């Protein structure tokens, strides 16, 4: 079992990182979040992180017809990946797509608050799959400590009025705000004032979203 690979970053694209270690070049499939982290390892933007000494945590996908390595910038991302692929209908490529569309804290937050619509916004995730992800992983991400990534003290947020939350997030998204940070603000408002109507939630959120 390969725990991690540490070596020189020889090649980097948004989907693949090649690390040279011990004279061997290892090609690892990566998410956009890991890609961004690797780019930041270089002092020069023109080099896109190449030449830096990096360490990626590894997940090995061994099949009859292929041996594929997936690389993750930190253990939390790998742990979330491993949990996602346990859900029926979520394969390794879909899990990587999810971790490219949302950060681990954002994904934890969506799962813990039951925000299926936000999860569905990721390409390839349908309604039923989003609901299965929430049902299957809500308790697991807490038990494994992955939910420690959730902003607000590392605890799962209390239930809120889902109908009001979804309407408010939809309205703010239509106004041009990104869904993930918008949802965090809306949930925070509803936790403090659970009886607010949609229009009031939107007004308050407009003052808080950065």
């Amino acid at each position: 079992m390969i725990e991690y690979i540490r070596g020189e970053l020889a090649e980097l694209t948004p989907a693949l990182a090649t690390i040279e270690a011990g004279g061997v070049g290892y090609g690892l499939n990566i998410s956009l979040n890991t890609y961004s982290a690797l780019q930041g390892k270089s002092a020069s933007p023109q080099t896109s992180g190449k030449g830096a000494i990096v360490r990626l945590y590894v997940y090995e996908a061994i099949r009859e017809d292929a041996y594929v390595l997936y690389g993750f910038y930190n253990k939390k991302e790998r742990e979330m990946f491993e949990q996602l692929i346990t859900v029926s209908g979520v394969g390794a490529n879909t899990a990587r797509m999810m971790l490219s569309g949302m950060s681990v804290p954002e994904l934890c937050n969506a799962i813990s608050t039951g925000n299926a619509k936000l999860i569905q916004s990721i390409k390839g995730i349908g309604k039923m799959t989003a609901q299965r992800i929430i049902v299957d992983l809500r308790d697991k991400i807490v038990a494994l400590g992955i939910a420690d990534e959730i902003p607000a003290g590392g605890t799962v947020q209390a239930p809120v009025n889902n109908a009001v939350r979804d309407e408010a997030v939809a309205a703010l998204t239509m106004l041009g705000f990104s869904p993930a940070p918008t949802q965090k603000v809306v949930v925070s408002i509803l936790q403090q004032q659970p009886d607010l109507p949609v229009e009031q939630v939107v007004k308050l959120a407009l003052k808080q979203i950065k």
Side-chain angles (χ1 to χ4, degrees), residues 181-192:
T182 295
Q183 185 216 242
K184 294 175 187 175
V185 172
V186 168
V187 168
S188 176
I189 292 170
L190 286 172
Q191 284 182 320
Q192 297 175 34

Side-chain angles (χ1 to χ4, degrees), residues 3 31 33-34 56-58 71-84 95 99 102-108 140-150 154:
E3 172 64 13
S31 70
N33 287 317
T34 290
L56 289 185
Y57 292 93
V58 175
F72 306 92
Y73 194 69
N74 56 48
K75 288 185 177 181
K76 291 292 187 182
E77 188 183 29
R78 182 176 65 179
E79 289 171 357
M80 178 59 79
F81 176 88
E82 291 173 337
Q83 291 305 309
L84 287 170
L99 290 167
M102 301 173 71
S103 67
V104 173
E106 289 167 345
L107 190 51
C108 280
K140 289 182 180 179
I141 63 173
V142 176
L144 292 172
I146 302 174
D148 292 345
E149 291 286 334
I150 298 175

